[in-house]
Amino acid sequence: MLTLRGTGVALITPFNEDYSIDFTGLDRVVNHVIDGGVDYLVVLGTTGESVTLTKEEKKEVLKAVKVSNAGRVPLVYGCGGNNTQAVLEDLKGIDFEGISAILSVSPYYNKPTQAGIIAHYTAIADESPVPVILYNVPGRTMSNLSWSTTIKLAAHPNIIGMKEASSDMSQCMRIASKMPKDFLLISGDDILTPAMRLMGGAGVISVLANAYPALFKTIAHGTLEEANDAAFQMLDINPLMYEEANPVGVKALMAILGLCGDQVRLPLLRASESLKERIKGELI
């Protein structure tokens, strides 16, 4: 899985004013991030507002990204949820041609036990025709995927990595100290990527790389000094991306940069004027 090292960008899904998918904007974003040097694309992760797209729309987005990508970089597809059986059914309807792996978020809202999380991911990994990357984001799921659970799941032959967005560096270090040599420990926090690299991390799946792919090329592949300097540039703009929920902030930033519109789907709303002005004041 060397092809899934470096920077993966959690692609946004641009929308038109009427909330329909802006395929022209999506093509522009795909080319922008590839030209900027990202290593792979993550299609329809949570940043892509996958929870508010229909099954048919998801198929259309995946097809459009494949066309725009034209085989230039690997693709990872977001397929997760808090209904295990529904995720297994979703796997049956995905066109896996050209997909290197799936990114599957830990079950949200239900707050399962660690044993329940293991059972959930084992069922998915057993059925998925491509490798599985775990995704731990307690701030959204209200349930942490512990380091010991991660190590147990890493023993599954079809589970190849973890996107860790807990911001708990001690937990990340525990995973790094125990994980198999070929396991991919991927940063889910943009500004923590250099620190994750130090402990053996495989890179980042990034939100801000939608706007600043070249910066993340430096963070993922530059020297440690270069990576730190690049990450330090994001210290002020990064929290603004999440102040009114992701991807509200990054879509506002993309609109400011002229890459696509800032429309999001309900229940999210576009960035407030105050947030937009503060983002403009922190452009890199």
Side-chain angles (χ1 to χ4, degrees):
M1 286 293 117
L2 289 175
T3 53
L4 298 182
R5 292 181 176 272
T7 298
V9 56
L11 283 173
I12 61 168
T13 303
F15 297 126
N16 296 306
E17 290 299 305
D18 63 358
Y19 300 105
S20 63
I21 296 167
D22 175 11
F23 289 102
T24 300
L26 180 60
D27 177 69
R28 191 180 303 117
V29 171
V30 169
N31 281 288
H32 169 69
V33 298
I34 293 176
D35 291 345
V38 303
D39 297 286
Y40 61 98
L41 308 178
V42 178
V43 188
L44 292 174
T46 49
T47 300
E49 294 176 78
S50 54
V51 294
T52 55
L53 268 65
T54 66
K55 288 185 178 182
E56 188 56 39
E57 285 176 326
K58 290 179 182 180
K59 290 179 181 179
E60 292 172 356
V61 168
L62 178 57
K63 181 178 178 181
V65 171
K66 286 181 179 181
V67 171
S68 297
N69 180 43
R72 287 177 287 175
V73 297
L75 301 180
V76 173
Y77 185 73
C79 184
N82 65 343
N83 180 338
T84 309
Q85 193 58 44
V87 176
L88 299 180
E89 288 298 316
D90 287 344
L91 285 171
K92 297 175 183 178
I94 298 169
D95 176 10
F96 280 100
E97 183 179 356
I99 295 178
S100 297
I102 63 168
L103 176 68
S104 194
V105 68
S106 186
Y108 43 84
Y109 188 77
N110 312 55
K111 298 183 74 172
T113 63
Q114 295 299 301
I117 292 173
I118 290 171
H120 170 83
Y121 274 122
T122 299
I124 292 171
D126 285 347
E127 292 296 323
S128 177
V130 297
V132 176
I133 299 172
L134 315 173
Y135 180 16
N136 186 38
V137 56
R140 284 191 170 224
T141 64
M142 303 307 295
S143 171
N144 182 50
L145 206 164
S146 73
W147 70 266
S148 58
T149 292
T150 301
I151 296 305
K152 289 174 183 175
L153 286 168
H156 193 291
N158 205 32
I159 294 177
I160 61 165
M162 154 73 88
K163 177 183 176 183
E164 242 295 348
S166 67
S167 299
D168 183 341
M169 296 306 292
S170 176
Q171 177 163 288
C172 294
M173 290 178 71
R174 293 278 188 182
I175 295 169
S177 71
K178 303 285 186 180
M179 67 187 185
K181 188 168 68 171
D182 58 351
F183 190 76
L184 303 174
L185 177 58
I186 302 167
S187 175
D189 293 290
D190 286 355
I191 60 174
L192 295 183
T193 306
M196 294 283 276
R197 275 184 64 184
L198 272 178
M199 66 179 74
V204 61
I205 293 178
S206 168
V207 172
L208 266 171
N210 280 282
Y212 299 121
L215 194 70
F216 279 87
K217 182 177 181 180
T218 300
I219 289 172
H221 298 292
T223 65
L224 179 59
E225 183 177 4
E226 291 169 339
N228 280 335
D229 287 344
F232 292 156
Q233 293 181 54
M234 299 188 297
L235 283 172
D236 292 324
I237 198 169
N238 185 66
L240 300 180
M241 297 299 99
Y242 309 100
E243 187 172 300
E244 295 180 5
N246 185 42
V248 172
V250 72
K251 279 195 165 181
L253 174 58
M254 299 291 276
I256 292 166
L257 297 177
L259 292 165
C260 66
D262 63 351
Q263 183 67 284
V264 291
R265 281 190 174 174
L266 294 169
L268 297 181
L269 296 174
R270 296 184 211 220
S272 65
E273 289 303 317
S274 171
L275 180 58
K276 289 178 184 177
E277 288 304 311
R278 282 180 287 140
I279 290 172
K280 287 178 183 178
E282 301 296 347
L283 296 180
I284 299 172

